[in-house]
């Protein structure tokens, strides 16, 4: 029967032998996804602004010299831990796992609650493993620093900072676990606020302790901020996990998001994907507990090795930059942090929709998953291309406005801006890798192709860095990064097929041609506009307006990525909301 009205549907021919199709209990509406994306983007923007404030405080208090380089070597651990345990690794493993558990809970499969069973089986072991790893890294800090940056003249400061930042392995792991579980439950506020708490703790520690602790105060702030990341999510997750299972947003009836109508038979699931009404067992199915355990271990290894290989580009940069004059590591760091802001904001779309794709795969609806991934690829590319155009057009003014004060000099601004422009060339590749890899891991099935593609891109980064670091210094290292990640994105696009979400690659590539052309033209217009103003504030504001206007006009004229229908849909939604707010009768109380 229709889950909304209770009326029966007409009989549907059974074209797929086997068990009956699962109820689509997990498909959210487009309006819900839009609200969740806006919420996540707003929280991400707040965290990014605090991240800029953190970098500004670091530049103001310690400049771009040897002390900052030492801290940034220790900062490598939080950067790798955030990728492995929050952004990529933990999410790619646990979001599909919780999605399957929630699908089973919604269909009434499993005597013990599947979500409770998953937490009991994973969280205690994860805490032990993370605590042991943090202790080993703290004890081996001298060796770790010598490997990461062998060219540092005095590694003792980097060693003491590394021992403080090593604690983030445990705290980030707990934060990533909570974030993945909450996102699978379609709760986005607490996961989106973690970087607000994290950066606020670092800024506070630097301002209150910099006089006595020096740059070690920033490392202490990392340790405290990691604990806050887990603490801000724990109450929300406890309410969903510890209580008795009941009706929640993740079990709401399907309300028509443009996919398969309720009651019809879904398209065949990919090989290895088990639907919601499979017999009770481990989260990812399997014929025996031993096979399921082997599958889980293989999946975890594939995800973590991919994330580690992806993050190794930062290690490569620090390694080669440690042999350059003092400040090169800092210039690379500041340039990367600013240049990657558009990528971080654009990937908020995928942060929201990845649980949706995983839930669709868990329910066997590959068409809904495919359409969702294709829309996400084009939309994230458009957003990051617009941001990259702004970064390239007014990089010196952005760096001057953000950092040139205190110990950060005009020479540092020029060097950082030059590196930032090179970084921006690879932003589309970074974004496509972040979006494409979700197609490979959303089914909760072991696949080694993303690791191979990332390995090839990393090898290209190393080879180009060896060749380019001599003549071009930090800019050569940034160019190697851009080339390596772009190669990885092309390989991931080429590898999409029936064993992943069946994305139509040619259709996606054709849809990206228009936004790329619009971004090139908008960059040229922004370069001309930014040169008309002496004030960095006026130059950045005028450049943003000019680039945005040119980009939107060209995407409208070319109808790139269905821009016309998208903008008209947004306009209709805003108009509808306005009419409702005007015509709604006020509520009166006594």
């Amino acid at each position: 029967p229709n889950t909304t009205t209770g009326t029966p549907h007409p009989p549907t021919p059974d074209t797929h032998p086997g068990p009956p199709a699962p109820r689509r209990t997990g498909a959210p509406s487009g309006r819900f996804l839009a609200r969740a994306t806006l919420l996540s983007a707003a929280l991400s923007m707040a965290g990014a602004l605090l991240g800029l404030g953190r970098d500004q405080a670091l530049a103001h208090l310690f400049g771009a010299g040897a002390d900052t380089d030492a801290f940034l070597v220790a900062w490598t651990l939080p950067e790798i831990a955030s990728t492995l345990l929050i952004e990529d690794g933990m999410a790619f493993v646990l979001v599909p796992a919780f999605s399957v558990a929630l699908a089973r809970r919604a269909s009434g499969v499993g005597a013990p609650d599947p979500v409770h069973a998953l937490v009991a089986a994973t969280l205690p072991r994860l805490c032990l493993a993370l605590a042991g790893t943090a202790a080993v890294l703290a004890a081996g800090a001298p060796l770790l620093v010598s490997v990461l940056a062998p060219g540092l003249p005095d590694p003792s400061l980097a060693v003491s900072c590394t021992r403080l930042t090593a604690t983030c392995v445990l705290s980030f792991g707990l934060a990533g676990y909570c974030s993945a579980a909450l996102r699978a439950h379609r709760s986005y506020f607490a996961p989106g606020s973690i970087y607000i708490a994290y950066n606020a703790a670092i800024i506070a520690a630097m301002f209150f302790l910099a006089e006595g602790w020096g740059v070690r105060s920033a490392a202490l702030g990392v340790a405290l901020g990691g604990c806050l990341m887990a603490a801000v999510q724990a109450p929300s997750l406890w309410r969903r996990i510890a209580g008795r299972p009941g009706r929640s947003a993740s079990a709401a009836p399907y309300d028509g998001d443009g996919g398969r109508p309720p009651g019809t038979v879904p398209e065949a699931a990919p090989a290895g994907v088990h639907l919601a009404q499979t017999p009770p067992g481990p989260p990812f199915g399997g014929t025996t507990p031993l096979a399921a355990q082997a599958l889980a271990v293989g999946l975890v290894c594939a995800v973590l090795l991919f994330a580690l290989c992806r993050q190794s580009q930062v290690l490569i940069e620090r390694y080669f930059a440690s042999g350059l004059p003092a400040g090169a590591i800092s210039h690379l760091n500041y340039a990367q942090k600013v240049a990657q802001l558009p990528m971080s904001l654009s990937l908020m779309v995928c942060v929201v929709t990845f649980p949706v794709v995983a839930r669709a795969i868990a329910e066997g609806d590959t068409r809904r998953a495919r359409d969702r991934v294709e829309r996400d690829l084009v939309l994230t590319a458009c957003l990051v291309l617009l941001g990259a155009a702004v970064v390239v057009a007014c990089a010196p003014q952005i760096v001057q406005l953000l950092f040139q004060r205190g110990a950060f000099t005009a020479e540092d601004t020029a060097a950082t801006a030059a590196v930032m422009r090179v970084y921006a060339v690879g932003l589309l590749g970074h974004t496509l890798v972040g979006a494409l890899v979700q197609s490979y891991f959303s089914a909760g099935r072991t696949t080694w192709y993303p690791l191979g593609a990332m390995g090839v891109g990393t090898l290209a980064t190393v080879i180009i860095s060896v060749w380019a670091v001599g003549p071009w210094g930090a800019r050569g290292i940034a160019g190697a990064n851009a080339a390596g990640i772009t190669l990885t994105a092309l390989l991931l696009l080429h590898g999409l097929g029936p064993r992943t979400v069946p994305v139509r690659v040619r259709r996606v590539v054709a849809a990206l041609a228009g936004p790329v052309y619009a971004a090139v033209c908008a960059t040229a217009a922004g370069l001309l506009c930014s040169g008309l103003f002496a004030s960095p504030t006026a130059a950045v504001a005028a450049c943003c307006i000019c680039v945005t206007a040119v980009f939107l006009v060209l995407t409208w004229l070319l109808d790139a990525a269905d821009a016309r229908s998208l903008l008209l849909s947004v306009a209709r939604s805003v108009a509808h909301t306005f009419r409702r707010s005007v015509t709604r009768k006020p509520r009166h109380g006594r």
Side-chain angles (χ1 to χ4, degrees):
N2 187 311
T3 56
T4 304
T5 62
T7 59
H9 285 291
T12 303
D14 188 7
T15 57
H16 295 264
R23 289 172 54 204
R24 265 184 79 179
T25 57
S29 67
R31 188 171 298 176
F32 171 82
L33 291 178
R35 288 198 302 265
T37 302
L38 289 175
L39 173 64
S40 299
L43 292 173
S44 176
M45 177 65 78
L49 290 176
L50 278 174
L52 283 177
R54 174 202 67 208
D55 293 338
Q56 287 176 324
L58 187 68
H60 177 76
L61 293 171
F62 309 110
D67 285 358
T68 308
D69 286 353
F71 166 71
L72 291 176
V73 171
W75 178 266
T76 305
L77 277 183
E79 287 181 316
I80 294 177
S82 64
T83 299
L84 289 177
L85 303 176
I86 299 177
E87 297 166 8
D88 288 351
M90 196 76 74
F92 291 153
V93 172
L94 288 178
V95 169
F98 274 101
S99 297
V100 173
L102 288 167
R104 287 180 169 177
R105 170 192 279 183
S107 60
V109 175
D113 178 61
V115 178
H116 292 179
L118 177 60
V119 174
T122 55
L123 186 55
R125 297 176 184 177
L126 179 68
C127 290
L128 288 175
L130 293 174
T133 304
V136 169
L137 289 173
L143 177 62
L144 185 61
V145 170
S146 66
V147 171
L148 291 176
L152 284 180
D154 182 14
S156 59
L157 180 59
V159 169
S160 61
C161 289
T162 300
R163 286 185 169 137
L164 287 169
T165 59
T167 59
C168 72
V169 173
L170 176 59
S171 58
F172 280 26
L174 293 175
Y177 190 97
C178 295
S179 178
L182 287 170
R183 283 166 52 194
H185 282 81
R186 296 190 195 145
S187 175
Y188 297 100
F189 180 79
S193 63
I194 58 176
Y195 286 108
I196 297 176
Y198 175 63
N199 289 319
I202 298 175
I203 293 171
M206 281 194 291
F207 274 108
F208 286 108
L209 301 175
E211 185 175 351
W213 282 56
V215 79
R216 293 180 183 86
S217 60
L220 179 62
V222 170
L224 297 175
C227 297
L228 284 179
M229 293 170 81
V232 296
Q233 297 182 96
S236 181
L237 181 61
W238 178 260
R239 289 194 298 269
R240 287 164 174 80
I241 298 299
R244 297 179 60 184
R247 185 178 180 83
S248 64
S250 59
Y254 171 66
D255 56 3
D257 190 27
R260 175 177 57 87
T264 61
V265 179
E267 296 184 21
V273 178
H274 296 262
L275 301 184
Q277 66 275 62
T278 52
F284 292 95
T287 55
T288 65
L290 183 60
Q293 183 179 6
L295 176 63
V297 172
L299 175 64
V300 171
C301 290
V303 168
L304 293 183
L305 287 175
F306 166 81
L308 184 61
C309 190
R310 182 181 179 185
Q311 191 62 29
S312 67
Q313 288 198 315
V314 176
L315 305 181
I316 295 168
E317 291 177 4
R318 302 268 163 87
Y319 180 87
F320 284 104
S322 66
L324 296 175
I329 294 178
S330 301
H331 298 151
L332 284 164
N333 172 76
Y334 293 131
Q336 185 185 64
K337 291 295 188 299
V338 177
Q340 289 190 352
L341 276 177
M343 179 197 72
S344 301
L345 293 176
S346 64
L347 285 177
M348 283 299 103
V349 176
C350 297
V351 167
V352 172
T353 59
F354 180 54
V356 178
V357 174
R359 186 67 176 268
I361 292 294
E363 295 177 346
D365 194 348
T366 57
R367 187 181 67 181
R368 177 159 57 103
R370 179 200 67 196
D371 294 342
R372 183 76 262 167
V373 170
E374 289 178 355
R375 287 195 295 268
D376 291 348
L377 285 173
V378 177
L379 181 57
T380 55
C382 287
L383 293 174
V384 79
L385 284 170
L386 174 59
V390 173
V391 169
V392 173
C394 56
Q397 294 87 349
I398 292 175
V399 177
Q400 182 181 356
L401 181 63
L402 292 177
F403 299 118
Q404 190 174 316
R405 59 184 60 85
F408 199 92
T409 64
E411 290 76 13
D412 294 324
T413 294
T416 303
V419 173
M420 194 164 76
R421 278 177 165 157
V422 180
Y423 264 132
V425 177
L427 283 181
L428 179 61
H430 278 287
T431 303
L432 289 178
V433 168
L436 285 167
V437 74
Q438 301 189 15
S439 301
Y440 288 88
F441 292 124
S442 59
R445 183 168 46 83
T446 304
T447 174
W448 299 99
Y449 184 83
L451 175 61
M454 194 69 241
V456 173
T458 303
L459 180 61
T461 302
V462 173
I463 294 173
I464 298 174
S465 295
V466 171
W467 169 72
V469 67
W472 290 295
R475 288 177 297 169
I477 297 173
N481 180 302
I485 200 66
T486 302
L487 176 59
T488 301
L490 293 175
L491 291 174
L492 289 176
L493 266 175
H494 176 73
L496 290 174
R499 292 183 60 82
T500 63
V501 177
V503 174
R504 293 163 290 190
V505 178
R506 292 184 179 179
R507 181 175 179 176
V508 172
V509 172
L512 292 178
V516 170
Y517 175 77
V520 172
C521 295
T523 302
L527 283 170
L528 293 175
C529 183
S530 61
L532 300 176
F533 299 90
S535 168
T537 304
V540 171
C543 180
C544 289
I545 295 172
C546 178
V547 168
T548 303
V550 173
F551 186 85
L552 291 180
V553 168
L554 287 177
T555 51
W556 176 274
L557 292 176
L558 298 171
D559 197 19
D562 295 328
R564 294 176 188 172
S565 60
L566 178 62
L567 292 175
L568 287 174
S569 176
V570 171
R572 285 195 297 266
S573 178
V574 172
H576 176 68
T577 304
F578 177 75
R579 285 196 302 269
R580 288 187 59 187
S581 63
V582 171
T583 59
R584 182 180 300 165
K585 294 181 179 180
R587 296 181 179 181
H588 300 281
R590 295 184 62 182

